[in-house]
Amino acid sequence: HPCMSWRTKLACNGFYLTVGLISKTYLSLSFAVRFVNCGRGGLVRFECSNPSDFRIEADGVVYAARSIQHSTLPALLLLIKASDTATQQQWVTQDLKEITFPSRNTDSQLKRMKRDWVIPPINVPENSRGPFPQELVRIRSDHDKNRSLRYSVTGPGADQPPTGIFIIDPISGELSVNKPLDREHISNFHLRAHAVDLNGNQVENPIDIVINVIDMNDNRPEFTHQIWNGTVPEGSKPGTFVMTVTSVDKDDPKTANGMLRYKILSQNPESPTSNMFTINNKTGGIITVAAGLDREKVPQYTLIIQATDMEGNPMYGLSNTATAVIRVTDINDNPPEFTAETFFGEVPENRVNVIVANLTVTDKDQPNTPAWNAVYKITGGDPTGRFSVPTDPTTNEGLVTVVKPIDYEISRTYVLTVEARNEVPLARGIHSPRQSTATVSIRVIDVNESPYFEPNPKLVKLEEGMMPESSLTTFTAQDPDRFMQQTIRYSKLSDPANWLRIDPNTGRITTIAILDRESPFVKNSLYNATFLASDSGVPPASGTGTLQIYLLDINDNAPKVFPQEAEICEKPEPNAINITALDGDLNPNAGPFAFELAHRPPDVRRNWTITRISGDYAQMSLKISFLETGIYEIPIIITDSGNLPMSNTSYLRIKVCQCDINGDCTDQQHIMAAGLGTGAIIAILLCIIILLILVLLFVVWMKRRDKERQAKQLLIDPEDDVRDNILKYDEEGGGEEDQDYDLSQLQQPDTIEPDAIKPVGIRRLDERPLHPEPQYPMRSAAPHPGDIGDFINEGLKAADNDPTAPPYDSLLVFDYEGSGSTAGSLSSLNSSSSGGDQDYDYLNDWGPRFRKLADMYGGSDD
């Protein structure tokens, strides 16, 4: 209330600030702020929490900034903040109030209790620098005069999260804040105060205390985007809306701390003026304020936007900036202009889809947009529509193209008028200049054109049967090159039946064969022949023409019976064959036909009869009661109905057979005829014979092979075959390893070279070299009349004493064939004895192959 006065304590480490009400009027207020220096000599700067209504001078006097009505401000809270400019310390004034529990009447329960008082909220500024704890209010009960009480508070901020913010002295009841508050985090606290005696008994009803956190301007405005993008068409009028920027302030929006104001700090580039745009200071909407936006000159503007709280007060408000990028969009304000007034081109005659000239234009609008893409239109010089001008999508050029053949003999030059426009109309007020129209001069080049026949095709009607060397017609061609002196020669290009001939100079066509309408080259009585006409130009040109000859039919073909083969039963019932006639001619040179049986042989008319059914059909049947099975050829005379009738004797081949009750043939011949023909049956029989011959040849070959195998076997008794006692390999020698021996050992001892003896250490892979290899005897190189048998005997002795030698008496080294043989080792022979002590007669019992060996060793010493 303006009439009240209170003392405000400012915790400033020795500073005390007293605020007293000087003026008691409702219209103007002033407060004398007396600042007591506590020995600090720094300069103090004052700020008030409501600069829109109050202002404070440097001497501490607070003035009303406007007229204030009591109804406007029923409850006024003004906070004064003092700042030390040297140390940047701050202090805020606050009043210390006292809250008393409402008294209760306890004399009688019958009396009505008074309603509890509503405690006004306690306002505490945020971001206070202390010192803490900082007293807010004193809670007192009337019962503390006669007894000791204990005070406490509960609720969020006290004993509930966030705890520890508010504390109370249980004895004095002073409620204090213990730390700085942040309105943007929690804007108010709801506490409940309690008063109890020392025994814990409640002496007062709890009272509610609401603590509002007073907003301070401690948050700068923040733009929702640091860079804002907008567009505006070029040529826009002033007042055209561009975009809206938005900034938010975490401070209380109901106070000046959260009231923002916008303004444009700078514009880049400053063309054509530095103030092309303006911004609504409250909404942030950006509009144009000047004309002259031209994308071709300035395609983009960059604005620096500032947002300031405290309703834009530059002294007390906090500010922030953002960037607004405004792109000037293109409109069709620049028409396309040709780079030249006249374009030139040339084209050969009779050519189509040929580009004659390329028309180039310039357009200042944005490339590859409808305002830049050019559309070309021929406005004059082409009344027959022989040209078109499509647009090249890449280069934006106009391509003058021939779409219809051009004849040099008709027009040698063309002068076209072409207009260039855009895909979208020009902007309002923009007109096409003279440079949007150009002239295209096209010269036609004369070329040698092909001669052409007229008419093509040419139709000629005549009767068939025209004799050779007959003149048909003259088929000539015209040369379209009127300005060239040329001659035309003719030749035959296509004549399927080779009936015609053409004169190379005059084009007269004559026949060289008889024309036949029934020829396979004639279709529907029409015969086509193609001729070639060539001029003498350079290079020569040629054209083709077709001559169509329509052949009129004459009666030149005799009729024939159809079908030529039929079947009939032995008995006359049912016995009937329907026949007709085929005639290559057309009516009236064909049917109706006359059918008649020939007079010879005589049995034809005796056994058969023919009855006419219609003009084209007759019926053939048996005249007798029974005819023997067989095949009969019946001569039938058929006559057509031509002007000069033609007759022909045709033979009808009739098969007489046995029939069932349905009149169908049942004999084997009928089955064979219905199923397989004679040629097919013969082919099947030939295949069967060839298959049997192949089987027979295979059997003979197998038997011959078995005989060859048996001839190769030994003609000996199997019990006497000693090879059964050794492993059988079916081969004459060993493998590759068995060839590791020296053939020189079999030579005469007198001719053996010492160096040719097998080196020591060479043996088979399966030998077991358990002992050193012995030295076998060597014959002297000196010649003497010794026998090779002595040398072999000496080798045998050495082999008998060699523990590593294989178990057979031979100098040849073969594969080791393993153990377990039923035959004894050849080493058991008494090789040390002479050959004369052995009895070799048993070799005669081994067969004829061993008799020679028995004669060699079993005979006398001679």
Side-chain angles (χ1 to χ4, degrees):
H1 193 277
C3 297
M4 293 178 60
S5 63
W6 67 92
R7 180 179 179 85
T8 301
K9 180 180 179 182
L10 183 63
C12 60
N13 295 332
F15 285 92
Y16 292 91
L17 179 64
T18 302
V19 180
L21 183 64
I22 298 178
S23 176
K24 297 183 180 181
T25 178
Y26 292 104
L27 299 179
S28 61
L29 298 174
S30 65
F31 294 89
V33 181
R34 182 166 54 84
F35 200 80
V36 180
N37 193 340
C38 303
R40 305 173 63 94
L43 179 62
V44 178
R45 177 186 173 185
F46 299 100
E47 296 180 13
C48 65
S49 62
N50 194 357
S52 61
D53 296 330
F54 300 96
R55 61 183 177 86
I56 185 170
E57 298 295 337
D59 55 358
V61 179
V62 179
Y63 295 93
R66 61 182 179 86
S67 299
I68 300 175
Q69 298 290 340
H70 181 267
S71 60
T72 305
L73 297 174
L76 180 63
L77 176 64
L78 183 63
L79 299 180
I80 306 300
K81 180 173 68 174
S83 302
D84 191 338
T85 57
T87 63
Q88 300 299 323
Q89 286 184 291
Q90 296 182 354
W91 301 271
V92 181
T93 61
Q94 60 178 2
D95 55 341
L96 185 61
K97 300 179 181 180
E98 184 177 274
I99 299 177
T100 305
F101 283 92
S103 61
R104 295 185 299 176
N105 191 348
T106 59
D107 295 339
S108 174
Q109 295 182 354
L110 298 176
K111 293 183 179 180
R112 182 180 178 183
M113 297 180 62
K114 294 182 180 180
R115 180 182 298 175
D116 290 348
W117 293 355
V118 177
I119 307 301
I122 300 173
N123 298 317
V124 180
E126 65 173 335
N127 300 328
S128 175
R129 292 183 177 271
F132 296 102
Q134 182 179 351
E135 298 84 355
L136 299 179
V137 69
R138 180 178 292 111
I139 300 174
R140 188 178 63 82
S141 174
D142 293 338
H143 296 282
D144 63 351
K145 299 178 181 179
N146 50 15
R147 53 179 167 173
S148 298
L149 301 180
R150 296 293 183 267
Y151 301 97
S152 63
V153 290
T154 58
D159 61 342
Q160 298 178 15
T163 60
I165 297 179
F166 300 99
I167 59 175
I168 189 171
D169 190 323
I171 298 177
S172 64
E174 287 187 359
L175 179 63
S176 304
V177 60
N178 203 32
K179 60 179 67 175
L181 303 181
D182 186 1
R183 190 204 67 84
E184 288 72 34
H185 183 221
I186 300 177
S187 60
N188 55 66
F189 296 88
H190 295 268
L191 303 179
R192 173 162 289 193
H194 306 271
V196 297
D197 57 13
L198 297 179
N199 294 325
N201 298 320
Q202 179 177 322
V203 297
E204 298 284 358
N205 289 331
I207 59 174
D208 294 327
I209 301 175
V210 178
I211 300 176
N212 291 331
V213 182
I214 304 302
D215 182 46
M216 302 297 291
N217 191 18
D218 59 342
N219 291 280
R220 292 181 179 273
E222 297 289 341
F223 284 92
T224 55
H225 301 286
Q226 194 58 34
I227 298 178
W228 296 80
N229 295 296
T231 59
V232 60
E234 62 175 333
S236 298
K237 296 180 179 179
T240 303
F241 174 79
V242 180
M243 61 190 300
T244 299
V245 297
T246 305
S247 180
V248 294
D249 196 320
K250 296 181 181 179
D251 292 327
D252 190 356
K254 298 179 181 180
T255 64
N257 299 332
M259 296 181 181
L260 307 181
R261 297 295 182 266
Y262 300 93
K263 72 175 181 178
I264 298 176
L265 296 181
S266 64
Q267 170 190 309
N268 184 37
E270 298 179 355
S271 175
T273 64
S274 60
N275 296 318
M276 295 295 295
F277 305 92
T278 186
I279 189 170
N280 189 311
N281 63 345
K282 292 183 179 181
T283 63
I286 300 176
I287 61 174
T288 60
V289 293
L293 291 174
D294 191 350
R295 188 202 65 84
E296 288 73 33
K297 295 180 180 180
V298 181
Q300 181 175 292
Y301 289 90
T302 301
L303 307 180
I304 303 300
I305 310 299
Q306 184 185 58
T308 306
D309 57 14
M310 300 299 292
E311 296 181 303
N313 191 321
M315 180 178 297
Y316 302 105
L318 302 177
S319 302
N320 211 339
T321 61
T323 302
V325 179
I326 301 175
R327 183 171 56 88
V328 181
T329 58
D330 185 40
I331 64 172
N332 193 14
D333 57 344
N334 294 281
E337 297 180 0
F338 285 98
T339 58
E341 294 183 359
T342 304
F343 295 87
F344 299 92
E346 60 183 20
V347 58
E349 63 175 333
N350 300 324
R351 296 282 300 274
V352 294
N353 298 325
V354 178
I355 297 176
V356 179
N358 291 23
L359 310 183
T360 56
V361 296
T362 59
D363 196 320
K364 297 180 181 179
D365 292 322
Q366 186 175 358
N368 301 316
T369 61
W372 179 82
N373 297 334
V375 178
Y376 301 90
K377 180 181 179 182
I378 299 175
T379 59
D382 185 23
T384 57
R386 298 183 181 276
F387 300 91
S388 68
V389 189
T391 303
D392 189 326
T394 304
T395 63
N396 208 30
E397 295 180 351
L399 308 178
V400 182
T401 308
V402 181
V403 294
K404 292 182 180 180
I406 301 174
D407 192 354
Y408 175 83
E409 285 69 28
I410 297 177
S411 179
R412 301 183 183 184
T413 59
Y414 288 87
V415 179
L416 309 180
T417 302
V418 181
E419 181 184 7
R421 297 181 180 179
N422 293 120
E423 293 180 354
V424 295
L426 291 173
R428 181 179 299 179
I430 306 298
H431 302 283
S432 297
R434 182 178 58 84
Q435 291 80 3
S436 296
T437 302
T439 301
V440 183
S441 179
I442 302 173
R443 184 175 66 89
V444 182
I445 302 174
D446 189 17
V447 297
N448 187 22
E449 299 178 79
S450 301
Y452 63 92
F453 288 87
E454 187 67 29
N456 188 17
K458 185 176 182 179
L459 180 63
V460 177
K461 293 185 178 181
L462 48 89
E463 287 187 351
E464 64 173 328
M466 181 175 288
M467 300 305 294
E469 302 301 329
S470 300
S471 178
L472 296 183
T473 185
T474 300
F475 198 22
T476 59
Q478 306 296 326
D479 192 348
D481 297 318
R482 292 178 293 140
F483 302 100
M484 298 181 183
Q485 300 298 327
Q486 298 180 143
T487 59
I488 299 177
R489 295 185 62 84
Y490 303 93
S491 60
K492 186 171 60 174
L493 185 63
S494 174
D495 183 11
N498 197 22
W499 287 344
L500 308 175
R501 178 177 61 237
I502 187 170
D503 187 281
N505 297 318
T506 63
R508 176 170 293 277
I509 299 176
T510 57
T511 62
I512 58 176
I514 298 177
L515 305 184
D516 185 9
R517 194 199 66 83
E518 289 74 32
S519 171
F521 300 103
V522 178
K523 304 297 181 183
N524 299 324
S525 302
L526 202 64
Y527 180 75
N528 294 322
T530 306
F531 298 93
L532 182 69
S534 303
D535 60 19
S536 58
V538 179
S542 60
T544 60
T546 301
L547 179 65
Q548 293 182 337
I549 303 175
Y550 188 83
L551 296 175
L552 302 176
D553 184 41
I554 63 175
N555 192 13
D556 58 346
N557 291 279
K560 297 178 180 180
V561 68
F562 181 83
Q564 296 181 354
E565 294 182 358
E567 293 180 355
I568 196 169
C569 296
E570 295 175 330
K571 296 181 180 180
E573 295 296 336
N575 275 332
I577 301 173
N578 292 332
I579 61 174
T580 185
L582 297 180
D583 195 326
D585 296 324
L586 300 176
N587 290 328
N589 296 321
F593 302 100
F595 299 91
E596 182 184 5
L597 292 175
H599 295 276
R600 294 184 180 279
D603 58 348
V604 172
R605 287 179 172 265
R606 185 174 62 250
N607 298 336
W608 303 92
T609 182
I610 188 168
T611 305
R612 183 173 181 179
I613 300 176
S614 64
D616 295 333
Y617 291 90
Q619 192 174 71
M620 191 81 175
S621 60
L622 279 174
K623 193 175 182 180
I624 59 179
S625 60
F626 176 80
L627 184 63
E628 186 179 356
T629 302
I631 297 177
Y632 301 87
E633 291 188 355
I634 310 301
I636 301 175
I637 302 174
I638 305 175
T639 305
D640 60 20
S641 300
N643 190 13
L644 296 176
M646 294 190 68
S647 299
N648 182 34
T649 301
S650 299
Y651 288 89
L652 176 62
R653 192 168 185 265
I654 299 177
K655 177 186 177 183
V656 180
C657 59
Q658 297 177 0
C659 298
D660 55 12
I661 58 175
N662 297 323
D664 299 327
C665 288
T666 58
D667 56 346
Q668 188 65 25
Q669 294 181 357
H670 174 75
I671 296 175
M672 293 177 61
L676 297 175
T678 304
I681 296 174
I682 294 174
I684 293 175
L685 292 176
L686 289 176
C687 293
I688 295 174
I689 294 172
I690 292 173
L691 182 61
L692 292 176
I693 292 174
L694 292 176
V695 173
L696 181 61
L697 291 176
F698 180 75
V699 172
V700 172
W701 177 77
M702 289 296 295
K703 288 188 172 295
R704 183 175 180 182
R705 184 181 177 186
D706 292 340
K707 291 181 179 179
E708 291 178 354
R709 289 183 178 180
Q710 294 176 2
K712 291 181 180 180
Q713 294 180 358
L714 295 177
L715 300 177
I716 58 175
D717 190 359
E719 295 181 357
D720 298 333
D721 192 359
V722 296
R723 292 177 299 171
D724 293 341
N725 296 328
I726 60 176
L727 298 181
K728 183 178 180 181
Y729 289 94
D730 280 344
E731 56 187 8
E732 298 296 331
E736 295 181 356
E737 296 178 354
D738 295 334
Q739 308 303 322
D740 189 13
Y741 53 83
D742 191 3
L743 295 177
S744 62
Q745 298 292 336
L746 298 179
Q747 298 175 358
Q748 279 287 348
D750 299 338
T751 60
I752 291 180
E753 294 292 336
D755 297 335
I757 299 176
K758 177 181 176 181
V760 177
I762 298 180
R763 56 165 53 93
R764 287 182 34 78
L765 296 177
D766 54 1
E767 292 180 356
R768 293 170 293 177
L770 301 178
H771 303 282
E773 194 169 348
Q775 297 294 330
Y776 287 89
M778 297 179 58
R779 292 289 294 176
S780 174
H784 62 86
D787 191 3
I788 193 174
D790 298 334
F791 180 80
I792 294 176
N793 292 330
E794 293 178 4
L796 289 176
K797 294 179 181 180
D800 290 341
N801 299 323
D802 185 6
T804 62
Y808 37 74
D809 300 330
S810 174
L811 293 179
L812 301 180
V813 180
F814 290 92
D815 242 344
Y816 175 70
E817 298 186 358
S819 61
S821 177
T822 57
S825 175
L826 295 178
S827 300
S828 60
L829 298 176
N830 188 9
S831 58
S832 60
S833 60
S834 63
D837 298 338
Q838 297 292 335
D839 185 9
Y840 296 102
D841 293 336
Y842 64 91
L843 294 178
N844 295 320
D845 300 332
W846 286 9
R849 297 190 179 186
F850 292 90
R851 290 175 182 174
K852 185 63 175 177
L853 187 60
D855 294 339
M856 292 176 60
Y857 288 89
S860 61
D861 295 339
D862 296 334

